[in-house]
Amino acid sequence: MVNCEDVIRFLDTYLNIAHISDVSHNGLQVQGTPRVGKIVFGVSASLELFRKAKAAGADLIVVHHGLLWGQEQAITGLFRERIAFLLKNDLNLAGYHLPLDMHPVVGHNACLMRALRAERTKPFGAYHGTEIGFCGWIAPATLDEITASLEAFCSAKAQVLAYGPKKVETAGVVSGGAYSLLPQAIAQKLDLYITGALDEPAQEWCREGKINCIALGHYNSEKPGVLALMNLVAKRFDVKTEFIDVANPL
């Protein structure tokens, strides 16, 4: 068992939340029991995750998409049900949004770049003035080869827009719902842009910009950082840890 506040303090510091502007409230969002014997990690806060975490014996739940998004919200409906479940069961909830996207070691985008064995990586993908992804060089490979590798890494089925070079040597990655950053990848003349979710303009951007795009799903593209963070915490603290995958193809 460890003190919950010690775990939260470590995560807050390691992920540098004090220096990252974000619409999400990063850190502890709902306070529960002060002592923690097991931490469950998941991508998104939901009643399904909370129920599974409780059944697994969790005292603290750490997610990428939390419950608090920078504005007051009436505690009614589904929001009330989620908070009520946490309070009734004395469960702590912590969320880390942009800090987990952009972290150079455990961040989703850093993990995806390592999966590609990228070299000469640098920050990429400006979101509200902050670069939250990475780009770099990879060993020349076909789009099919890269897609298969990333699908296996994320346990996901990808959407592919093949409008760029047959052999891919440069790639940029911004996980989640970052299709709108595609023009930045085009401006940098990258061969491939990797993200989570796409929307209607993406196809013609890719065609006109002569770029390839792989979309792994918002949820599945943001499992890597959660898993990396869990492994870090497991090594740092004397607690049990478990990743609970509430499968989501979107």
Side-chain angles (χ1 to χ4, degrees):
M1 298 283 283
V2 297
N3 291 326
C4 184
E5 64 180 18
D6 291 339
V7 178
I8 298 300
R9 186 182 302 111
F10 168 75
L11 291 173
D12 289 356
T13 302
Y14 184 80
L15 294 173
N16 196 32
I17 70 169
H19 298 96
I20 297 172
S21 178
D22 195 352
V23 295
S24 173
H25 176 92
N26 293 300
L28 187 65
Q29 296 191 351
V30 178
Q31 186 177 25
T33 179
R35 297 282 286 169
V36 171
K38 183 171 184 177
I39 306 173
V40 155
F41 291 76
V43 175
S44 299
S46 69
L47 201 52
E48 182 71 7
L49 175 63
F50 299 165
R51 286 171 174 158
K52 289 185 175 183
K54 173 62 178 175
D59 304 298
L60 167 62
I61 303 168
V62 177
V63 295
H64 176 51
H65 303 129
L67 292 178
L68 304 179
W69 293 92
Q71 59 186 4
E72 290 184 4
Q73 181 175 343
I75 305 174
T76 59
L78 298 178
F79 187 53
R80 178 191 179 280
E81 289 184 31
R82 290 174 173 182
I83 291 179
F85 186 91
L86 294 170
L87 295 176
K88 178 181 177 182
N89 292 284
D90 216 11
L91 288 167
N92 295 281
L93 174 70
Y96 297 95
H97 184 230
L98 291 186
L100 190 54
D101 285 315
M102 63 190 291
H103 196 275
V105 179
V106 300
H108 311 300
N109 300 310
C111 291
L112 288 165
M113 290 300 278
R114 282 199 300 274
L116 295 174
R117 299 181 181 178
E119 299 179 346
R120 289 179 279 166
T121 60
K122 62 180 181 179
F124 159 79
Y127 176 75
H128 295 300
T130 301
E131 291 177 314
I132 62 173
F134 296 94
C135 65
W137 293 81
I138 62 175
T142 67
L143 188 59
D144 285 346
E145 290 169 338
I146 295 170
T147 300
S149 175
L150 290 175
E151 285 182 333
F153 182 67
C154 293
S155 301
K157 180 63 179 174
Q159 238 182 322
V160 180
L161 297 173
Y163 293 103
K166 299 297 183 184
K167 281 286 186 180
V168 174
E169 297 185 49
T170 57
V173 178
V174 182
S175 65
Y179 87 94
S180 62
L181 304 190
L182 239 174
Q184 296 184 37
I186 294 168
Q188 293 208 21
K189 300 187 184 305
L190 297 176
D191 298 334
L192 171 64
Y193 179 62
I194 300 160
T195 189
L198 296 178
D199 209 337
E200 193 272 343
Q203 175 176 280
E204 298 312 311
W205 283 344
C206 287
R207 191 197 308 271
E208 295 165 20
K210 297 179 174 57
I211 191 172
N212 299 298
C213 182
I214 297 174
L216 297 158
H218 193 139
Y219 176 91
N220 286 311
S221 72
E222 297 192 320
K223 287 192 293 190
V226 176
L227 289 165
L229 192 64
M230 179 183 73
N231 292 334
L232 176 70
V233 169
K235 293 175 182 176
R236 175 85 182 195
F237 293 95
D238 183 22
V239 292
K240 296 177 182 177
T241 59
E242 180 181 351
F243 175 74
I244 292 182
D245 189 4
V246 181
N248 186 341
L250 303 179

